[in-house]
Amino acid sequence: MTLTYEGRFDRPNSMGDTKTVGNALHQAPSESTIQAHETRGLKDLLRDSDSSFVPLLKSKTKEARSFSEVLALNTLRKRASQTNLWPSSKSTLRLAIIGGCSLRPLADLIEHFTIVLGDVNLQLWTGDYDNYISEIMDEDSNLYAFKPELVFVLPSERRCRYTGRLADPLALQEAEANQAVTDILGLIAQIHDRSGASVVVGNFRLPPYFDPGAMRNSGLSSEYAFRKYVNYQIGLNLPAYAHICDIEFLANRLGTVRAFDERTWFESKQPFSTDLMVEVAREFALLAASLKRATKKVIVLDLDNTLWGGVIGDDGLEGIEIGTTSPRGEAYRDFQQTLLEISKRGVLLAVCSKNDHDKAIEPFLKHPEMVLRLSNIVNFKANWEPKSENIRQIALELNLGVDSFVFFDDNPAEIDIVKQFVPEVDAIWLGEDPSTYATTLKDCRHFEMRSVTKEDLERVQLYQQEAKRQELQSTATDMDAYLSSLEMTATISEFTPIDVPRITQLINKSNQFNLTTQRRTEVEVRALISSTDHASFTIRLSDRFGDHGLIAIVVTKIDGAELLIDTWLMSCRVLKRQVEEATLNEIVRVAKERGCERIVGTYKPTAKNGMVRDLYPRLGFAPGDLADETSTYILDVANYSPSKTKIQVAEPAGATI
Amino acid sequence: MQQSEVLERLQGVFDEIFLEKVVVTPELTANDVSEWDSLLHVSLILAVEQEFGIRFRVGEVEGTKNVGELADLIAKRTEKK
């Protein structure tokens, strides 16, 4: 016997060409000596029949990214099963894997991940190389004799391509692509009809090579476009008993150059590079586990340096970093936004923070840049008890098992305590850079939507009816209808201490929509808050696509019967949204409140603010003194009737306190 | 690189991959080691490539009869660099 084997080797990830791809995964695999050393630690535990072997192997498997490490862990696990160190699970899964490629060692990786991450006993049957079509079509095949509960099918990627000429008519290309979709869906249906099994279908990688250049995405004749179309159509037409193992996505995430390795195809008909093989196996295992197990239901959150930057107890409402004023503030805001979106899927949010309760709730009540409000939090624990105790208490009060909880904190010590005292909770350390928080949440794999519910389907019908109604009412090019559809809400507020940094930033940064380009320091802005001669306000705007934050600022000076507009500026990204009109409505309201009869607007031209040269006349002001350097315009308060806008004006968050 | 030097480094790789102790000699073949099945072979060759910073060409390893020939191939590849 020689070194010749069917199962062949694969490309190491340390080779030169992967460097050109860049770091596709932030948990990029590394064949470090540390890993090897810890595997050796597992070997020692195994030799000593130490029961801590099992949890250590589980956590190593969760983190493992390299092919050889997963294989080494698989071997260790098999040995542990032989000596009964590995526990037998209560549930068993009968899994069949079939496809148009060599299925080993992929099946061995799948076996390992499914047993370890899915906590099941596995009965595994693998089909022959590229024999899946006859295994499915022949009702007496070994596939059906095995009586699988779940079938993983990997259709032939090489045959998923257009066979005609690159420049054929599109109709021909479409016909062939649709036939490919029909064939695959037909095979999936046959598997289910004949065995009753659920089906997971692997879709197709998109090729990493440049050929055929400009033709790649201009029809379906390139392999790239053909497979992209087939993947998409399979997804759209998938029956409820089938699921997609999204290999297209996994390969893209990894980088397609790294996901392909032609050598292993030529040598042993391996479907993927070793790196992608690991990702596919893990993904399949998580998918299989999720079909049997409920997803997590509750997110428990720390506050300081988790939802905002800084410590509320030390830095106070004005000192914490949240919102669009600073890059860090934006990152925390984005994390909150992601939490809010996940909560809309039905996941509950709870707070567990070492803080004084009254201090801790203040940002939720009063900070204008917070995305999360108290109404989004189902249970709020801010005290000085251990977090492990608090989390158990929250579970008790919500009447949910702690095993449905996920805990996020920036403090590794708190993560450690929760891991130690409430091991059922998945405690996730957010790290030290808030710009990664939202991504960590989106990559944690706990809150993914597995399927569409009946309510979702009803909602779809409702939307369709609504869409029809709107279609009848207006055309898409109608500006008024467009503005209505944005569902804009403006929040108008007097200047507040919290907003001073953002106001100062805008006053010194805005050039285009800025009538006077009057700059001010933070001290001067702060002075405006208490000045009785001035009336100043800010406007925040949000619409159904999200929150634009603080986008307009007005400073006025009251001079007897006249109200002088000292500063009026606005962020250009909300131009033509009727914010100008809404702002003037507010200026007039303030003028009336202060007993002013006339409003005087000033335009000071600069090299950059030409866009607002005609703002005052356009809004109905009469010309006053017109000069090259400074022009004034006058509006009689009594003659002004408020403009109707599509913007709904709301009270600021702090106003109700 | 001398064959003996390659064999020495291969011993380190084998110690990582096999659970049981396998002594690397030029005459060693897969047949001599019960653990050395097709699956482990994939893993072993990958680890060898990583250890020596090389990539075998298609079909190359298939042509080697024993670990000695594999070592010669590795020596040839590392010299080419």
Side-chain angles (χ1 to χ4, degrees):
Chain A
M1 174 130 183
T2 68
L3 297 183
T4 304
Y5 276 108
E6 237 179 76
R8 198 47 68 186
F9 34 82
D10 209 327
R11 173 166 50 183
N13 54 44
S14 62
M15 299 310 290
D17 57 345
T18 61
K19 283 179 191 141
T20 62
V21 192
N23 194 0
L25 275 174
H26 53 270
Q27 330 87 315
S30 66
E31 286 293 312
S32 68
T33 45
I34 297 167
Q35 264 180 14
H37 174 75
E38 291 183 18
T39 309
R40 214 174 292 142
L42 276 168
K43 281 185 185 176
D44 293 340
L45 291 175
L46 175 61
R47 193 192 51 226
D48 302 342
S49 292
D50 191 320
S51 63
S52 59
F53 172 86
V54 175
L56 185 58
L57 186 124
K58 279 187 180 176
S59 77
K60 288 263 146 266
T61 298
K62 256 188 203 170
E63 291 157 15
R65 293 281 156 185
S66 87
F67 177 77
S68 33
E69 193 188 4
V70 178
L71 282 186
L73 292 167
N74 182 40
T75 313
L76 288 168
R77 182 192 52 75
K78 280 183 175 168
R79 290 288 150 108
S81 295
Q82 285 169 1
T83 62
N84 292 325
L85 182 58
W86 190 263
S88 174
S89 170
K90 278 176 229 130
S91 60
T92 297
L93 176 69
R94 296 180 66 82
L95 169 68
I97 305 176
I98 55 177
C101 53
S102 174
L103 295 164
R104 302 193 84 96
L106 175 65
D108 301 85
L109 300 189
I110 286 175
E111 178 183 6
H112 182 70
F113 279 120
T114 307
I115 289 172
V116 176
L117 302 181
D119 196 19
V120 292
N121 301 323
L122 192 69
Q123 306 265 349
L124 180 65
W125 180 84
T126 47
D128 290 327
Y129 160 65
D130 205 9
N131 205 25
Y132 66 107
I133 293 174
S134 59
E135 279 158 353
I136 291 169
M137 298 232 176
D138 174 9
E139 54 189 326
D140 298 322
S141 75
N142 289 334
L143 169 65
Y144 299 118
F146 172 68
K147 298 197 190 318
E149 291 168 72
L150 185 63
V151 177
F152 186 21
V153 54
L154 290 157
S156 167
E157 186 176 84
R158 295 203 163 228
R159 286 197 295 273
C160 185
R161 56 195 288 270
Y162 183 61
T163 54
R165 295 156 56 93
L166 212 49
D168 275 347
L170 185 60
L172 284 180
Q173 302 171 16
E174 277 174 337
E176 196 166 324
N178 285 327
Q179 188 58 50
V181 173
T182 307
D183 289 349
I184 290 167
L185 290 171
L187 290 173
I188 293 170
Q190 273 199 46
I191 296 171
H192 181 71
D193 291 348
R194 290 191 169 155
S195 66
S198 297
V199 180
V200 174
V201 58
N203 62 12
F204 303 107
R205 298 174 301 180
L206 306 182
Y209 36 77
F210 283 104
D211 190 76
M215 296 286 279
R216 189 184 310 111
N217 260 328
S218 61
L220 300 178
S221 57
S222 74
E223 285 178 24
Y224 190 94
F226 193 90
R227 287 179 196 157
K228 198 163 76 168
Y229 177 88
V230 170
N231 287 345
Y232 183 64
Q233 289 295 334
I234 291 174
L236 285 183
N237 295 293
L238 204 65
Y241 53 78
H243 309 270
I244 290 173
C245 182
D246 197 349
I247 295 168
E248 175 189 358
F249 165 77
L250 295 171
N252 288 351
R253 188 175 193 275
L254 194 66
T256 49
V257 170
R258 201 168 135 194
F260 278 71
D261 183 354
E262 297 304 283
R263 183 183 71 181
T264 60
W265 173 261
F266 298 134
E267 288 189 339
S268 58
K269 303 294 175 277
Q270 294 299 322
F272 318 122
S273 74
T274 48
D275 286 345
L276 183 61
M277 219 184 275
V278 171
E279 296 306 319
V280 171
R282 181 198 311 272
E283 180 69 13
F284 174 80
L286 289 174
L287 199 57
S290 76
L291 299 178
K292 290 212 161 194
R293 241 186 2 204
T295 52
K296 302 279 184 181
K297 296 191 181 74
V298 184
I299 296 176
V300 183
L301 297 154
D302 172 49
L303 295 179
D304 295 326
N305 291 315
T306 293
L307 288 190
W308 54 71
V311 177
I312 184 68
D314 297 338
D315 302 322
L317 204 52
E318 294 163 42
I320 60 171
E321 294 172 293
I322 175 71
T324 47
T325 309
S326 71
R328 281 170 55 80
E330 285 209 43
Y332 286 109
R333 198 183 154 87
D334 187 47
F335 182 50
Q336 290 198 11
Q337 194 68 49
T338 308
L339 285 162
L340 186 65
E341 273 158 30
I342 286 178
S343 80
K344 284 180 189 159
R345 300 176 196 170
V347 176
L348 304 175
L349 304 181
V351 161
C352 175
S353 166
K354 285 197 169 147
N355 255 313
D356 286 327
H357 187 267
D358 291 352
K359 280 253 163 60
I361 60 169
E362 226 182 352
F364 291 87
L365 295 170
K366 294 183 184 168
H367 203 297
E369 296 282 328
M370 286 281 288
V371 174
L372 296 176
R373 297 291 171 193
L374 282 186
S375 59
N376 303 118
I377 310 293
V378 293
N379 199 303
F380 200 107
K381 293 264 178 292
N383 54 44
W384 303 91
E385 301 299 316
K387 294 203 174 186
S388 46
E389 292 304 308
N390 274 322
I391 289 174
R392 286 201 185 281
Q393 189 59 32
I394 294 171
L396 212 64
E397 289 169 18
L398 293 178
N399 198 21
L400 289 166
V402 278
D403 56 354
S404 64
F405 280 47
V406 180
F407 171 59
F408 289 97
D409 203 311
D410 68 294
N411 183 344
E414 299 291 0
I415 294 292
D416 226 43
I417 285 169
V418 171
K419 275 194 169 156
Q420 206 170 331
F421 293 101
V422 211
E424 305 95 316
V425 174
D426 192 5
I428 296 174
W429 182 50
L430 286 166
E432 281 157 359
D433 181 356
S435 74
T436 64
Y437 287 10
T439 311
T440 300
L441 175 58
K442 288 184 206 172
D443 277 343
C444 81
R445 311 301 315 259
H446 287 312
F447 308 106
E448 295 166 15
M449 282 190 67
R450 295 300 181 193
S451 58
V452 177
T453 64
K454 197 168 151 240
E455 288 76 25
D456 293 327
L457 291 174
E458 283 167 3
R459 211 175 309 138
V460 170
Q461 282 181 345
L462 220 63
Y463 281 136
Q464 284 166 344
Q465 287 163 6
E466 179 65 26
K468 249 186 201 147
R469 192 157 53 232
Q470 291 198 354
E471 213 173 73
L472 295 174
Q473 276 175 359
S474 67
T475 61
T477 51
D478 181 341
M479 193 62 189
D480 257 13
Y482 167 69
L483 291 174
S484 300
S485 74
L486 288 175
E487 296 165 19
M488 293 182 286
T489 304
T491 308
I492 301 175
S493 163
E494 292 180 355
F495 281 14
T496 63
I498 301 170
D499 284 337
V500 166
R502 174 65 177 158
I503 293 169
T504 312
Q505 192 184 47
L506 272 179
I507 280 181
N508 293 300
K509 202 172 76 174
S510 300
N511 292 316
Q512 299 188 70
F513 195 111
N514 193 336
L515 276 302
T516 55
T517 321
Q518 175 68 51
R519 310 297 195 194
R520 279 188 165 88
T521 65
E522 198 162 318
V523 174
E524 287 168 333
V525 170
R526 209 174 286 276
L528 287 172
I529 299 176
S530 47
S531 166
T532 50
D533 293 339
H534 290 85
S536 313
F537 61 89
T538 60
I539 301 184
R540 293 184 148 75
L541 186 74
S542 64
D543 59 36
R544 69 190 169 97
F545 297 111
D547 193 343
H548 298 280
L550 200 163
I551 43 85
I553 293 171
V554 172
V555 178
T556 67
K557 189 169 190 309
I558 292 58
D559 187 6
E562 288 188 342
L563 180 133
L564 314 173
I565 303 175
D566 172 283
T567 298
W568 180 353
L569 62 87
M570 193 176 83
S571 166
C572 289
R573 61 194 154 141
V574 295
L575 268 180
K576 309 276 182 195
R577 295 281 201 91
Q578 299 179 334
V579 177
E580 300 92 317
E581 285 80 359
T583 308
L584 182 58
N585 287 346
E586 178 65 12
I587 293 173
V588 172
R589 193 194 65 76
V590 170
K592 281 184 181 161
E593 195 178 77
R594 295 299 194 105
C596 298
E597 291 161 14
R598 281 182 302 155
I599 296 170
V600 180
T602 305
Y603 171 66
K604 286 186 190 168
T606 69
K608 290 179 177 167
N609 72 351
M611 70 157 65
V612 287
R613 186 181 299 116
D614 299 323
L615 179 74
Y616 285 124
R618 188 161 64 78
L619 291 173
F621 281 65
D625 296 331
L626 300 185
D628 281 348
E629 290 207 353
T630 301
S631 301
T632 57
Y633 298 87
I634 306 198
L635 185 72
D636 269 334
V637 172
N639 291 342
Y640 180 79
S641 54
S643 301
K644 288 204 163 50
T645 70
K646 303 293 182 190
I647 302 171
Q648 197 192 338
V649 176
E651 291 286 305
T656 50
I657 310 298
Chain B
M1 212 184 305
Q2 296 296 308
Q3 197 198 55
S4 58
E5 197 190 330
V6 175
L7 288 177
E8 199 178 313
R9 280 170 72 180
L10 277 179
Q11 183 67 61
V13 176
F14 276 53
D15 289 347
E16 285 295 319
I17 299 284
F18 292 100
L19 280 179
E20 309 299 330
K21 179 73 182 176
V22 177
V23 180
V24 173
T25 62
E27 297 76 30
L28 186 72
T29 71
N31 215 18
D32 303 327
V33 184
S34 62
E35 250 185 274
W36 193 339
D37 60 7
S38 62
L39 178 57
L40 206 134
H41 185 74
V42 176
S43 184
L44 180 69
I45 296 303
L46 175 67
V48 168
E49 288 191 324
Q50 282 171 351
E51 166 69 23
F52 291 93
I54 53 173
R55 179 170 157 82
F56 297 117
R57 295 167 193 167
V58 64
E60 230 170 20
V61 174
E62 227 169 54
T64 59
K65 291 192 183 63
N66 54 35
V67 172
E69 287 195 18
L70 179 67
D72 292 341
L73 178 62
I74 292 167
K76 203 171 88 188
R77 277 280 153 276
T78 47
E79 265 158 34
K80 280 274 167 69
K81 285 173 79 179

